[in-house]
Amino acid sequence: MLAILHFITLVVTTLFAAAAAALVNWLLLRGTFHLMCPATAARTQGKAASVIPMRVELVPGTVRVARAFAGRR
C-alpha cells in the first residue's frame, strides 16, 4: 500500500513539474516575441507624419564601384 502511495506521489509531482515547465516555456516564448517586435512598429501605426523618410538614392562611390565591377565581368 505504501509503494502505491509513493508511486502516485511521484506521478503527481511529475505532472506538476511538466505543467510548470510548459508554463515557463510559454512565458519565455511570449517575452521573446515581445522583444523581437521592431522598435518602429509603435511609431508607424498611428502617426504617419513622425516617420523619418529614408534615402533611396545611390551615393557616388557606390555607382563607381558598380561600374568598375561590371567592366571586369
Short mmCIF file of all heavy atoms in Angstrom, two decimals:
data_model
loop_
_atom_site.label_atom_id
_atom_site.label_comp_id
_atom_site.label_asym_id
_atom_site.label_seq_id
_atom_site.Cartn_x
_atom_site.Cartn_y
_atom_site.Cartn_z
N MET A 1 0.81 -1.18 0.00
CA MET A 1 0.00 0.00 0.00
C MET A 1 0.87 1.26 0.00
O MET A 1 0.55 2.23 -0.65
CB MET A 1 -0.91 -0.03 1.23
CG MET A 1 -1.95 1.04 1.21
SD MET A 1 -3.09 0.75 -0.11
CE MET A 1 -4.60 1.00 0.69
N LEU A 2 1.95 1.21 0.75
CA LEU A 2 2.84 2.35 0.82
C LEU A 2 3.55 2.58 -0.52
O LEU A 2 3.80 3.74 -0.91
CB LEU A 2 3.86 2.14 1.94
CG LEU A 2 4.67 3.36 2.34
CD1 LEU A 2 3.76 4.49 2.80
CD2 LEU A 2 5.64 2.99 3.44
N ALA A 3 3.85 1.51 -1.22
CA ALA A 3 4.50 1.63 -2.52
C ALA A 3 3.58 2.33 -3.52
O ALA A 3 4.04 3.15 -4.34
CB ALA A 3 4.91 0.26 -3.03
N ILE A 4 2.29 2.03 -3.49
CA ILE A 4 1.33 2.68 -4.39
C ILE A 4 1.24 4.17 -4.07
O ILE A 4 1.18 5.01 -4.98
CB ILE A 4 -0.04 1.99 -4.27
CG1 ILE A 4 0.04 0.56 -4.80
CG2 ILE A 4 -1.10 2.77 -5.04
CD1 ILE A 4 -1.22 -0.24 -4.58
N LEU A 5 1.25 4.51 -2.80
CA LEU A 5 1.20 5.92 -2.39
C LEU A 5 2.45 6.67 -2.88
O LEU A 5 2.34 7.80 -3.38
CB LEU A 5 1.08 6.02 -0.87
CG LEU A 5 1.02 7.45 -0.31
CD1 LEU A 5 -0.24 8.14 -0.80
CD2 LEU A 5 1.07 7.41 1.19
N HIS A 6 3.60 6.05 -2.77
CA HIS A 6 4.83 6.68 -3.26
C HIS A 6 4.79 6.84 -4.78
O HIS A 6 5.22 7.87 -5.31
CB HIS A 6 6.06 5.86 -2.86
CG HIS A 6 6.41 5.99 -1.42
ND1 HIS A 6 6.77 7.19 -0.85
CD2 HIS A 6 6.48 5.07 -0.43
CE1 HIS A 6 7.03 7.01 0.44
NE2 HIS A 6 6.86 5.72 0.72
N PHE A 7 4.27 5.84 -5.48
CA PHE A 7 4.17 5.92 -6.93
C PHE A 7 3.21 7.03 -7.35
O PHE A 7 3.51 7.79 -8.28
CB PHE A 7 3.73 4.57 -7.50
CG PHE A 7 3.64 4.57 -8.99
CD1 PHE A 7 4.79 4.58 -9.77
CD2 PHE A 7 2.40 4.56 -9.62
CE1 PHE A 7 4.70 4.59 -11.15
CE2 PHE A 7 2.32 4.57 -11.01
CZ PHE A 7 3.47 4.58 -11.76
N ILE A 8 2.07 7.14 -6.69
CA ILE A 8 1.10 8.20 -7.01
C ILE A 8 1.71 9.57 -6.72
O ILE A 8 1.52 10.52 -7.49
CB ILE A 8 -0.22 7.97 -6.24
CG1 ILE A 8 -0.92 6.73 -6.80
CG2 ILE A 8 -1.11 9.19 -6.33
CD1 ILE A 8 -2.15 6.33 -6.03
N THR A 9 2.44 9.69 -5.63
CA THR A 9 3.11 10.95 -5.31
C THR A 9 4.12 11.32 -6.40
O THR A 9 4.22 12.48 -6.81
CB THR A 9 3.81 10.85 -3.95
OG1 THR A 9 2.86 10.46 -2.96
CG2 THR A 9 4.45 12.16 -3.57
N LEU A 10 4.86 10.33 -6.88
CA LEU A 10 5.82 10.56 -7.95
C LEU A 10 5.12 11.01 -9.22
O LEU A 10 5.59 11.93 -9.90
CB LEU A 10 6.64 9.29 -8.19
CG LEU A 10 7.70 9.36 -9.28
CD1 LEU A 10 8.80 10.33 -8.89
CD2 LEU A 10 8.25 7.98 -9.55
N VAL A 11 4.01 10.39 -9.56
CA VAL A 11 3.27 10.74 -10.78
C VAL A 11 2.72 12.16 -10.68
O VAL A 11 2.83 12.96 -11.62
CB VAL A 11 2.14 9.71 -11.04
CG1 VAL A 11 1.19 10.20 -12.11
CG2 VAL A 11 2.74 8.37 -11.43
N VAL A 12 2.11 12.50 -9.54
CA VAL A 12 1.54 13.84 -9.37
C VAL A 12 2.64 14.90 -9.40
O VAL A 12 2.48 15.95 -10.03
CB VAL A 12 0.73 13.90 -8.06
CG1 VAL A 12 0.34 15.33 -7.72
CG2 VAL A 12 -0.50 13.03 -8.16
N THR A 13 3.75 14.62 -8.77
CA THR A 13 4.87 15.57 -8.77
C THR A 13 5.42 15.75 -10.18
O THR A 13 5.73 16.87 -10.60
CB THR A 13 5.98 15.07 -7.83
OG1 THR A 13 5.42 14.85 -6.54
CG2 THR A 13 7.11 16.07 -7.73
N THR A 14 5.51 14.67 -10.94
CA THR A 14 6.00 14.76 -12.31
C THR A 14 5.05 15.57 -13.18
O THR A 14 5.49 16.38 -14.00
CB THR A 14 6.19 13.35 -12.89
OG1 THR A 14 7.09 12.63 -12.06
CG2 THR A 14 6.74 13.40 -14.30
N LEU A 15 3.75 15.35 -13.03
CA LEU A 15 2.78 16.12 -13.80
C LEU A 15 2.83 17.61 -13.44
O LEU A 15 2.74 18.48 -14.31
CB LEU A 15 1.37 15.57 -13.58
CG LEU A 15 1.10 14.19 -14.19
CD1 LEU A 15 -0.29 13.70 -13.80
CD2 LEU A 15 1.23 14.25 -15.70
N PHE A 16 2.99 17.91 -12.15
CA PHE A 16 3.10 19.30 -11.73
C PHE A 16 4.36 19.93 -12.31
O PHE A 16 4.33 21.08 -12.78
CB PHE A 16 3.12 19.38 -10.20
CG PHE A 16 3.28 20.77 -9.69
CD1 PHE A 16 2.24 21.68 -9.75
CD2 PHE A 16 4.49 21.18 -9.14
CE1 PHE A 16 2.39 22.97 -9.29
CE2 PHE A 16 4.65 22.45 -8.67
CZ PHE A 16 3.61 23.36 -8.73
N ALA A 17 5.47 19.22 -12.31
CA ALA A 17 6.72 19.75 -12.86
C ALA A 17 6.61 19.97 -14.37
O ALA A 17 7.12 20.96 -14.90
CB ALA A 17 7.88 18.81 -12.54
N ALA A 18 5.94 19.06 -15.06
CA ALA A 18 5.76 19.21 -16.50
C ALA A 18 4.89 20.42 -16.81
O ALA A 18 5.17 21.18 -17.76
CB ALA A 18 5.15 17.94 -17.09
N ALA A 19 3.84 20.63 -16.03
CA ALA A 19 2.98 21.79 -16.24
C ALA A 19 3.73 23.09 -15.94
O ALA A 19 3.60 24.09 -16.67
CB ALA A 19 1.74 21.69 -15.36
N ALA A 20 4.54 23.09 -14.90
CA ALA A 20 5.33 24.28 -14.58
C ALA A 20 6.36 24.57 -15.68
O ALA A 20 6.57 25.73 -16.04
CB ALA A 20 6.02 24.10 -13.23
N ALA A 21 6.98 23.54 -16.21
CA ALA A 21 7.95 23.73 -17.29
C ALA A 21 7.27 24.26 -18.55
O ALA A 21 7.82 25.14 -19.23
CB ALA A 21 8.66 22.41 -17.58
N ALA A 22 6.08 23.77 -18.86
CA ALA A 22 5.35 24.27 -20.03
C ALA A 22 4.96 25.73 -19.84
O ALA A 22 5.04 26.53 -20.78
CB ALA A 22 4.12 23.40 -20.27
N LEU A 23 4.57 26.11 -18.64
CA LEU A 23 4.20 27.49 -18.36
C LEU A 23 5.41 28.42 -18.49
O LEU A 23 5.31 29.49 -19.10
CB LEU A 23 3.58 27.61 -16.97
CG LEU A 23 3.19 29.02 -16.54
CD1 LEU A 23 2.04 29.53 -17.39
CD2 LEU A 23 2.82 29.04 -15.07
N VAL A 24 6.53 28.02 -17.96
CA VAL A 24 7.74 28.84 -18.05
C VAL A 24 8.18 28.96 -19.51
O VAL A 24 8.56 30.03 -19.98
CB VAL A 24 8.87 28.26 -17.17
CG1 VAL A 24 10.20 28.92 -17.47
CG2 VAL A 24 8.51 28.41 -15.71
N ASN A 25 8.09 27.87 -20.24
CA ASN A 25 8.44 27.89 -21.66
C ASN A 25 7.54 28.84 -22.42
O ASN A 25 8.00 29.62 -23.26
CB ASN A 25 8.35 26.47 -22.24
CG ASN A 25 8.94 26.38 -23.62
OD1 ASN A 25 9.68 27.26 -24.04
ND2 ASN A 25 8.61 25.33 -24.34
N TRP A 26 6.24 28.82 -22.15
CA TRP A 26 5.28 29.70 -22.82
C TRP A 26 5.57 31.16 -22.47
O TRP A 26 5.55 32.03 -23.35
CB TRP A 26 3.86 29.32 -22.40
CG TRP A 26 2.82 30.15 -23.05
CD1 TRP A 26 2.36 30.07 -24.33
CD2 TRP A 26 2.09 31.21 -22.44
NE1 TRP A 26 1.39 31.01 -24.54
CE2 TRP A 26 1.21 31.73 -23.39
CE3 TRP A 26 2.11 31.78 -21.16
CZ2 TRP A 26 0.36 32.78 -23.12
CZ3 TRP A 26 1.25 32.81 -20.89
CH2 TRP A 26 0.38 33.31 -21.86
N LEU A 27 5.88 31.45 -21.20
CA LEU A 27 6.18 32.82 -20.80
C LEU A 27 7.46 33.33 -21.46
O LEU A 27 7.53 34.48 -21.91
CB LEU A 27 6.30 32.92 -19.28
CG LEU A 27 4.99 32.80 -18.50
CD1 LEU A 27 5.27 32.74 -17.01
CD2 LEU A 27 4.06 33.94 -18.83
N LEU A 28 8.49 32.50 -21.54
CA LEU A 28 9.72 32.90 -22.20
C LEU A 28 9.51 33.11 -23.70
O LEU A 28 10.09 34.03 -24.29
CB LEU A 28 10.81 31.86 -21.96
CG LEU A 28 11.37 31.81 -20.54
CD1 LEU A 28 12.35 30.65 -20.40
CD2 LEU A 28 12.03 33.12 -20.16
N LEU A 29 8.67 32.29 -24.31
CA LEU A 29 8.37 32.46 -25.73
C LEU A 29 7.64 33.77 -25.99
O LEU A 29 7.94 34.50 -26.93
CB LEU A 29 7.55 31.27 -26.23
CG LEU A 29 7.29 31.18 -27.72
CD1 LEU A 29 8.60 31.05 -28.48
CD2 LEU A 29 6.39 30.01 -28.02
N ARG A 30 6.66 34.08 -25.12
CA ARG A 30 5.94 35.36 -25.26
C ARG A 30 6.90 36.53 -25.08
O ARG A 30 6.82 37.52 -25.80
CB ARG A 30 4.82 35.45 -24.22
CG ARG A 30 3.69 34.46 -24.40
CD ARG A 30 2.68 34.98 -25.34
NE ARG A 30 2.20 36.28 -24.86
CZ ARG A 30 1.05 36.79 -25.16
NH1 ARG A 30 0.23 36.11 -25.91
NH2 ARG A 30 0.69 37.97 -24.72
N GLY A 31 7.79 36.44 -24.10
CA GLY A 31 8.77 37.51 -23.89
C GLY A 31 9.71 37.68 -25.07
O GLY A 31 10.05 38.80 -25.46
N THR A 32 10.11 36.57 -25.67
CA THR A 32 10.98 36.62 -26.84
C THR A 32 10.29 37.30 -28.00
O THR A 32 10.88 38.15 -28.67
CB THR A 32 11.41 35.20 -27.24
OG1 THR A 32 12.06 34.59 -26.13
CG2 THR A 32 12.34 35.22 -28.43
N PHE A 33 9.04 36.96 -28.26
CA PHE A 33 8.30 37.61 -29.34
C PHE A 33 8.09 39.09 -29.06
O PHE A 33 8.10 39.91 -29.98
CB PHE A 33 6.96 36.92 -29.59
CG PHE A 33 7.09 35.62 -30.33
CD1 PHE A 33 6.33 34.53 -29.97
CD2 PHE A 33 7.96 35.48 -31.38
CE1 PHE A 33 6.44 33.33 -30.65
CE2 PHE A 33 8.09 34.29 -32.07
CZ PHE A 33 7.32 33.22 -31.70
N HIS A 34 7.90 39.43 -27.80
CA HIS A 34 7.74 40.84 -27.45
C HIS A 34 9.04 41.61 -27.70
O HIS A 34 9.01 42.74 -28.20
CB HIS A 34 7.31 40.98 -25.99
CG HIS A 34 7.13 42.39 -25.56
ND1 HIS A 34 6.08 43.16 -26.01
CD2 HIS A 34 7.85 43.18 -24.75
CE1 HIS A 34 6.17 44.36 -25.47
NE2 HIS A 34 7.25 44.40 -24.70
N LEU A 35 10.18 41.01 -27.39
CA LEU A 35 11.45 41.67 -27.63
C LEU A 35 11.81 41.73 -29.11
O LEU A 35 12.54 42.61 -29.54
CB LEU A 35 12.56 40.96 -26.86
CG LEU A 35 12.53 41.12 -25.35
CD1 LEU A 35 13.59 40.25 -24.71
CD2 LEU A 35 12.73 42.57 -24.96
N MET A 36 11.31 40.78 -29.90
CA MET A 36 11.59 40.76 -31.33
C MET A 36 10.77 41.78 -32.10
O MET A 36 11.06 42.07 -33.25
CB MET A 36 11.34 39.37 -31.91
CG MET A 36 12.40 38.38 -31.55
SD MET A 36 12.07 36.68 -32.06
CE MET A 36 11.04 36.80 -33.45
N CYS A 37 9.75 42.36 -31.49
CA CYS A 37 8.91 43.34 -32.16
C CYS A 37 9.76 44.56 -32.51
O CYS A 37 10.48 45.07 -31.66
CB CYS A 37 7.77 43.74 -31.23
SG CYS A 37 6.62 44.88 -31.96
N PRO A 38 9.70 45.02 -33.75
CA PRO A 38 10.55 46.15 -34.13
C PRO A 38 10.21 47.41 -33.33
O PRO A 38 9.06 47.65 -32.97
CB PRO A 38 10.23 46.38 -35.60
CG PRO A 38 9.41 45.25 -36.04
CD PRO A 38 8.92 44.52 -34.84
N ALA A 39 11.20 48.22 -33.09
CA ALA A 39 11.01 49.44 -32.31
C ALA A 39 10.21 50.47 -33.08
O ALA A 39 9.57 51.33 -32.50
CB ALA A 39 12.36 50.02 -31.91
N THR A 40 10.20 50.40 -34.39
CA THR A 40 9.48 51.39 -35.19
C THR A 40 8.02 51.03 -35.39
O THR A 40 7.27 51.82 -35.94
CB THR A 40 10.13 51.55 -36.57
OG1 THR A 40 10.13 50.28 -37.22
CG2 THR A 40 11.54 52.06 -36.44
N ALA A 41 7.60 49.87 -34.96
CA ALA A 41 6.21 49.47 -35.18
C ALA A 41 5.24 50.37 -34.45
O ALA A 41 4.16 50.68 -34.95
CB ALA A 41 6.00 48.02 -34.75
N ALA A 42 5.59 50.83 -33.26
CA ALA A 42 4.69 51.69 -32.50
C ALA A 42 4.58 53.07 -33.14
O ALA A 42 3.53 53.70 -33.08
CB ALA A 42 5.20 51.83 -31.06
N ARG A 43 5.64 53.54 -33.77
CA ARG A 43 5.59 54.87 -34.38
C ARG A 43 4.81 54.89 -35.68
O ARG A 43 4.20 55.88 -36.02
CB ARG A 43 7.01 55.36 -34.65
CG ARG A 43 7.69 55.85 -33.40
CD ARG A 43 8.96 56.55 -33.76
NE ARG A 43 10.02 55.55 -33.77
CZ ARG A 43 11.16 55.67 -34.39
NH1 ARG A 43 11.43 56.75 -35.07
NH2 ARG A 43 12.07 54.72 -34.34
N THR A 44 4.82 53.81 -36.45
CA THR A 44 4.20 53.82 -37.76
C THR A 44 2.73 53.45 -37.75
O THR A 44 2.06 53.60 -38.75
CB THR A 44 4.94 52.86 -38.71
OG1 THR A 44 4.90 51.55 -38.17
CG2 THR A 44 6.38 53.30 -38.91
N GLN A 45 2.20 52.99 -36.63
CA GLN A 45 0.81 52.55 -36.62
C GLN A 45 -0.16 53.71 -36.69
O GLN A 45 -1.14 53.66 -37.42
CB GLN A 45 0.53 51.71 -35.39
CG GLN A 45 1.14 50.33 -35.47
CD GLN A 45 0.90 49.52 -34.21
OE1 GLN A 45 0.34 50.02 -33.25
NE2 GLN A 45 1.34 48.29 -34.22
N GLY A 46 0.06 54.78 -35.94
CA GLY A 46 -0.92 55.84 -35.90
C GLY A 46 -0.43 57.17 -36.39
O GLY A 46 -1.20 58.00 -36.83
N LYS A 47 0.84 57.41 -36.37
CA LYS A 47 1.39 58.71 -36.71
C LYS A 47 2.27 58.60 -37.94
O LYS A 47 3.45 58.33 -37.84
CB LYS A 47 2.19 59.27 -35.53
CG LYS A 47 1.38 59.41 -34.27
CD LYS A 47 2.25 59.89 -33.13
CE LYS A 47 1.47 59.97 -31.85
NZ LYS A 47 2.29 60.36 -30.72
N ALA A 48 1.70 58.84 -39.10
CA ALA A 48 2.47 58.74 -40.33
C ALA A 48 3.39 59.95 -40.51
O ALA A 48 4.37 59.88 -41.22
CB ALA A 48 1.54 58.62 -41.53
N ALA A 49 3.08 61.08 -39.86
CA ALA A 49 3.89 62.28 -40.02
C ALA A 49 5.21 62.17 -39.28
O ALA A 49 6.16 62.86 -39.63
CB ALA A 49 3.10 63.49 -39.51
N SER A 50 5.30 61.35 -38.28
CA SER A 50 6.53 61.26 -37.50
C SER A 50 7.53 60.26 -38.07
O SER A 50 8.59 60.09 -37.51
CB SER A 50 6.20 60.87 -36.05
OG SER A 50 5.70 59.56 -36.02
N VAL A 51 7.21 59.62 -39.17
CA VAL A 51 8.10 58.63 -39.77
C VAL A 51 9.21 59.36 -40.51
O VAL A 51 8.97 60.27 -41.30
CB VAL A 51 7.34 57.70 -40.73
CG1 VAL A 51 8.29 56.74 -41.41
CG2 VAL A 51 6.27 56.96 -39.98
N ILE A 52 10.45 58.99 -40.25
CA ILE A 52 11.59 59.61 -40.90
C ILE A 52 11.73 59.02 -42.30
O ILE A 52 11.81 57.80 -42.46
CB ILE A 52 12.86 59.38 -40.07
CG1 ILE A 52 12.69 59.98 -38.68
CG2 ILE A 52 14.08 59.95 -40.78
CD1 ILE A 52 13.81 59.60 -37.73
N PRO A 53 11.75 59.87 -43.34
CA PRO A 53 11.89 59.32 -44.70
C PRO A 53 13.27 58.73 -44.91
O PRO A 53 14.27 59.25 -44.41
CB PRO A 53 11.65 60.53 -45.60
CG PRO A 53 11.95 61.70 -44.74
CD PRO A 53 11.63 61.31 -43.33
N MET A 54 13.33 57.67 -45.67
CA MET A 54 14.60 57.01 -45.95
C MET A 54 15.18 57.53 -47.25
O MET A 54 14.45 57.85 -48.19
CB MET A 54 14.39 55.50 -46.04
CG MET A 54 14.02 54.86 -44.74
SD MET A 54 13.70 53.09 -44.82
CE MET A 54 14.59 52.52 -46.20
N ARG A 55 16.50 57.61 -47.31
CA ARG A 55 17.17 57.99 -48.55
C ARG A 55 17.32 56.74 -49.41
O ARG A 55 17.85 55.73 -48.96
CB ARG A 55 18.53 58.59 -48.26
CG ARG A 55 18.44 59.91 -47.52
CD ARG A 55 19.80 60.43 -47.18
NE ARG A 55 20.67 60.45 -48.35
CZ ARG A 55 21.95 60.76 -48.31
NH1 ARG A 55 22.52 61.07 -47.17
NH2 ARG A 55 22.67 60.75 -49.40
N VAL A 56 16.88 56.81 -50.64
CA VAL A 56 16.94 55.64 -51.51
C VAL A 56 17.89 55.83 -52.69
O VAL A 56 18.08 54.92 -53.48
CB VAL A 56 15.53 55.28 -52.05
CG1 VAL A 56 14.65 54.79 -50.92
CG2 VAL A 56 14.89 56.44 -52.77
N GLU A 57 18.50 57.03 -52.84
CA GLU A 57 19.40 57.24 -53.97
C GLU A 57 20.76 56.60 -53.67
O GLU A 57 21.13 56.40 -52.52
CB GLU A 57 19.56 58.73 -54.28
CG GLU A 57 20.30 59.51 -53.20
CD GLU A 57 19.40 60.03 -52.10
OE1 GLU A 57 18.20 59.80 -52.13
OE2 GLU A 57 19.93 60.68 -51.20
N LEU A 58 21.47 56.32 -54.72
CA LEU A 58 22.81 55.74 -54.58
C LEU A 58 23.82 56.86 -54.35
O LEU A 58 23.72 57.93 -54.93
CB LEU A 58 23.19 54.97 -55.84
CG LEU A 58 22.45 53.67 -56.10
CD1 LEU A 58 22.86 53.10 -57.44
CD2 LEU A 58 22.73 52.67 -55.00
N VAL A 59 24.79 56.57 -53.55
CA VAL A 59 25.87 57.54 -53.35
C VAL A 59 26.87 57.39 -54.48
O VAL A 59 26.97 56.32 -55.10
CB VAL A 59 26.54 57.34 -51.97
CG1 VAL A 59 25.58 57.67 -50.85
CG2 VAL A 59 27.08 55.96 -51.82
N PRO A 60 27.63 58.44 -54.80
CA PRO A 60 28.54 58.36 -55.95
C PRO A 60 29.57 57.24 -55.85
O PRO A 60 29.92 56.63 -56.86
CB PRO A 60 29.22 59.74 -55.96
CG PRO A 60 28.28 60.64 -55.25
CD PRO A 60 27.58 59.79 -54.24
N GLY A 61 30.07 56.96 -54.68
CA GLY A 61 31.05 55.89 -54.54
C GLY A 61 30.48 54.53 -54.92
O GLY A 61 31.16 53.70 -55.53
N THR A 62 29.22 54.29 -54.59
CA THR A 62 28.58 53.02 -54.93
C THR A 62 28.45 52.86 -56.43
O THR A 62 28.66 51.78 -56.99
CB THR A 62 27.20 52.94 -54.26
OG1 THR A 62 27.34 53.19 -52.87
CG2 THR A 62 26.56 51.59 -54.48
N VAL A 63 28.11 53.95 -57.12
CA VAL A 63 27.98 53.90 -58.58
C VAL A 63 29.33 53.59 -59.22
O VAL A 63 29.42 52.77 -60.14
CB VAL A 63 27.40 55.24 -59.10
CG1 VAL A 63 27.41 55.27 -60.62
CG2 VAL A 63 26.01 55.46 -58.56
N ARG A 64 30.41 54.20 -58.73
CA ARG A 64 31.74 53.94 -59.29
C ARG A 64 32.17 52.50 -59.07
O ARG A 64 32.73 51.86 -59.96
CB ARG A 64 32.75 54.91 -58.67
CG ARG A 64 32.66 56.31 -59.23
CD ARG A 64 33.87 57.10 -58.82
NE ARG A 64 33.86 57.35 -57.38
CZ ARG A 64 33.58 58.52 -56.82
NH1 ARG A 64 33.31 59.56 -57.58
NH2 ARG A 64 33.58 58.65 -55.52
N VAL A 65 31.90 51.97 -57.90
CA VAL A 65 32.28 50.58 -57.62
C VAL A 65 31.48 49.63 -58.50
O VAL A 65 32.01 48.66 -59.04
CB VAL A 65 32.08 50.27 -56.11
CG1 VAL A 65 32.18 48.78 -55.85
CG2 VAL A 65 33.09 51.03 -55.28
N ALA A 66 30.21 49.91 -58.69
CA ALA A 66 29.37 49.05 -59.53
C ALA A 66 29.84 49.08 -60.98
O ALA A 66 29.87 48.04 -61.64
CB ALA A 66 27.92 49.48 -59.44
N ARG A 67 30.21 50.26 -61.46
CA ARG A 67 30.69 50.35 -62.86
C ARG A 67 32.04 49.64 -63.03
O ARG A 67 32.29 48.99 -64.03
CB ARG A 67 30.81 51.82 -63.26
CG ARG A 67 29.48 52.45 -63.51
CD ARG A 67 29.63 53.87 -64.00
NE ARG A 67 28.31 54.49 -64.12
CZ ARG A 67 28.07 55.76 -63.95
NH1 ARG A 67 29.07 56.59 -63.69
NH2 ARG A 67 26.85 56.23 -64.08
N ALA A 68 32.90 49.78 -62.04
CA ALA A 68 34.22 49.11 -62.13
C ALA A 68 34.06 47.60 -62.08
O ALA A 68 34.76 46.88 -62.80
CB ALA A 68 35.11 49.60 -60.97
N PHE A 69 33.14 47.11 -61.26
CA PHE A 69 32.93 45.68 -61.17
C PHE A 69 32.28 45.14 -62.44
O PHE A 69 32.60 44.07 -62.92
CB PHE A 69 32.06 45.34 -59.96
CG PHE A 69 31.81 43.88 -59.77
CD1 PHE A 69 32.83 43.05 -59.35
CD2 PHE A 69 30.57 43.33 -60.03
CE1 PHE A 69 32.61 41.69 -59.17
CE2 PHE A 69 30.33 41.98 -59.86
CZ PHE A 69 31.36 41.17 -59.43
N ALA A 70 31.35 45.91 -63.03
CA ALA A 70 30.66 45.47 -64.24
C ALA A 70 31.63 45.43 -65.41
O ALA A 70 31.47 44.61 -66.33
CB ALA A 70 29.48 46.39 -64.55
N GLY A 71 32.65 46.29 -65.44
CA GLY A 71 33.60 46.31 -66.54
C GLY A 71 34.49 45.09 -66.55
O GLY A 71 34.97 44.67 -67.60
N ARG A 72 34.74 44.46 -65.42
CA ARG A 72 35.61 43.29 -65.34
C ARG A 72 34.89 41.99 -65.65
O ARG A 72 35.53 40.99 -65.87
CB ARG A 72 36.23 43.19 -63.96
CG ARG A 72 37.17 44.31 -63.66
CD ARG A 72 37.79 44.16 -62.30
NE ARG A 72 38.65 45.28 -61.99
CZ ARG A 72 39.12 45.55 -60.80
NH1 ARG A 72 38.82 44.78 -59.79
NH2 ARG A 72 39.90 46.60 -60.62
N ARG A 73 33.62 42.00 -65.66
CA ARG A 73 32.87 40.75 -65.89
C ARG A 73 32.88 40.38 -67.32
O ARG A 73 32.67 40.73 -68.28
CB ARG A 73 31.45 40.87 -65.37
CG ARG A 73 31.42 40.72 -63.89
CD ARG A 73 30.02 40.67 -63.42
NE ARG A 73 29.95 39.55 -62.48
CZ ARG A 73 28.88 38.90 -62.16
NH1 ARG A 73 27.75 39.22 -62.66
NH2 ARG A 73 28.91 37.93 -61.30
#
